[in-house]
């Protein structure tokens, strides 16, 4: 019956360094996505106020 032995993977505990690295990578990725979103919204707001200053648009409803 020596041929029926199966090699099983031994389970190890969590690796602290690996978890810290994964946390840092996920944090940087999420922060980058948030920052890109913020820059896009800031660009839209800046473009709106530029058009408002030039007089090309108005926030006052036109009278009919």
């Amino acid at each position: 019956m020596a041929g029926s032995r199966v090699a099983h993977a031994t389970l190890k505990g969590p690796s602290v360094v690996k978890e810290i690295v994964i946390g840092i990578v996920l944090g940087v990725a999420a922060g980058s996505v948030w920052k890109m979103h913020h820059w896009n919204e800031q660009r839209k707001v800046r473009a709106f106020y530029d058009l408002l200053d030039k007089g090309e648009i108005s926030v006052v409803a036109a009278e009919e």
Side-chain angles (χ1 to χ4, degrees):
M1 284 281 158
S4 65
R5 297 185 75 177
V6 178
H8 293 286
T10 56
L11 297 176
K12 297 182 196 177
S15 172
V16 176
V17 175
K18 186 177 177 182
E19 287 190 18
I20 290 172
V21 169
I22 290 173
I24 289 172
V25 168
L26 289 176
V28 168
S32 298
V33 168
W34 174 255
K35 198 64 176 171
M36 288 171 60
H37 168 72
H38 181 259
W39 284 337
N40 190 33
E41 291 298 316
Q42 192 176 26
R43 182 184 56 80
K44 288 183 200 175
V45 168
R46 193 171 291 136
F48 171 76
Y49 281 108
D50 285 344
L51 290 174
L52 196 61
D53 287 341
K54 290 178 187 174
E56 296 180 19
I57 60 171
S58 176
V59 292
V60 178
E63 293 183 25
E64 293 183 27

